[in-house]
Amino acid sequence: MTQLARPDPARNRSGLDHVRPRRASVTSDLLPADRSGLLRAGQPVPGWAVGTALLAPVVLVGGWLIAGALQPASYSPMRQTMSVLAGHSGTDRWVMTAALLLVGSCQIATGAGLTAVRMPARILLILTGLSTLGIAATPEPVTGPTSRHLAFAVSCVVTTAVWPVLVARRAPAQPWIVSVYGCATVTVIFAGLSCWLLIAARDGGGDLGMVERLTSAVQALFPLVVALALRQTAGRRNQGQRGQERSGHWQAVMPVGRKGTVP
């Protein structure tokens, strides 16, 4: 009969029976996944999305400055809106129209590229870009804005003001600006600016142009701030993962001595 193999005591005493940690155990000890939904694993913010987020406010401000410089002396940027620059009464209105088209395209591209945030936030930013394109596609007549033009303008203001609410998430380690309290603060500021703009438009005050430019510039900057913050957070997470991978690799390849301790 075949005799069963007996365990070798000497081999057991040498500590060679200890199994080296598997690589799966190394990867399982990495940083815990972000359960907040703010950062999606393996979805950092691409550089081109940061570029489009930067280009939108730059083109917007540059557009109204260049188009305003081409207007006659009777034009007042404090009283008259950007829609006048792109309207039928504006001089060289193609300048502001082209700027609005480029800004809307950048907003759509930024919404598509911000894969680190939830889908509702991305969709809302894309809708903001579509509203901006709608403003450019419905130029303001000499007699005043049409109902369709006003609908696109109000939609653009509202969607931009609500957007921070969909970005906010609770997470243990994240920049303050994209935290719940940070986004709540931004939402309050945006809501105040939007109400100020709507009141100025309703009353026809002399500061309508200034309020519109201030509101548009501040709201256009926030996607850039979010993109930079999420990109920085993703970079720190990747550095931490690489550090733990290197540490786990050395623990896996080092010989294990008696009682599981490193000699």
Side-chain angles (χ1 to χ4, degrees):
M1 294 179 64
T2 304
Q3 185 178 3
L4 296 177
R6 295 182 179 179
D8 188 358
R11 185 171 181 267
N12 287 337
R13 286 195 301 267
S14 65
L16 297 179
D17 282 348
H18 292 282
V19 181
R20 289 182 179 179
R22 295 174 300 174
R23 187 162 298 277
S25 64
V26 176
T27 57
S28 62
D29 292 335
L30 297 179
L31 293 177
D34 187 359
R35 301 180 183 274
S36 64
L38 177 65
L39 288 175
R40 295 167 55 188
Q43 296 290 337
V45 179
W48 62 265
V50 178
T52 55
L54 172 63
L55 192 60
V58 171
V59 172
L60 181 64
V61 175
W64 83 54
L65 289 177
I66 297 174
L70 298 175
Q71 303 306 309
S74 59
Y75 176 79
S76 173
M78 292 291 295
R79 294 183 294 101
Q80 294 174 286
T81 64
M82 291 181 288
S83 296
V84 175
L85 297 174
H88 294 290
S89 61
T91 303
D92 295 319
R93 65 186 186 92
W94 66 268
V95 175
M96 196 65 218
T97 301
L100 291 174
L101 291 174
L102 185 55
V103 169
S105 301
C106 289
Q107 290 170 334
I108 294 174
T110 303
L114 281 180
T115 54
V117 300
R118 296 182 305 164
M119 185 59 68
R122 298 170 61 191
I123 293 176
L124 193 63
L125 187 56
I126 292 175
L127 290 177
T128 303
L130 293 175
S131 298
T132 304
L133 296 180
I135 294 175
T138 56
E140 181 178 302
V142 179
T143 56
T146 62
S147 58
R148 184 178 302 178
H149 181 87
L150 288 176
F152 282 124
V154 172
S155 174
C156 187
V157 173
V158 172
T159 53
T160 309
V162 175
W163 190 67
V165 177
L166 300 181
V167 175
R169 272 296 178 268
R170 296 183 182 273
Q174 63 179 352
W176 178 84
I177 194 64
V178 293
S179 65
V180 173
Y181 296 106
C183 289
T185 302
V186 174
T187 302
V188 171
I189 295 174
F190 283 4
L193 290 173
S194 300
C195 291
W196 187 15
L197 176 60
L198 293 177
I199 292 174
R202 184 194 63 183
D203 298 339
D207 56 351
L208 175 59
M210 183 268 295
V211 176
E212 182 199 39
R213 285 165 172 78
L214 177 62
T215 303
S216 301
V218 172
Q219 291 182 344
L221 278 173
F222 189 62
L224 174 62
V225 174
V226 172
L228 292 175
L230 295 180
R231 187 175 175 86
Q232 181 182 11
T233 302
R236 288 199 303 263
R237 286 167 56 89
N238 292 336
Q239 290 178 0
Q241 289 180 355
R242 287 194 295 266
Q244 288 202 6
E245 285 177 352
R246 288 193 295 267
S247 176
H249 172 73
W250 284 110
Q251 291 178 3
V253 300
M254 290 181 67
V256 181
R258 186 174 297 178
K259 297 182 180 179
T261 60
V262 178

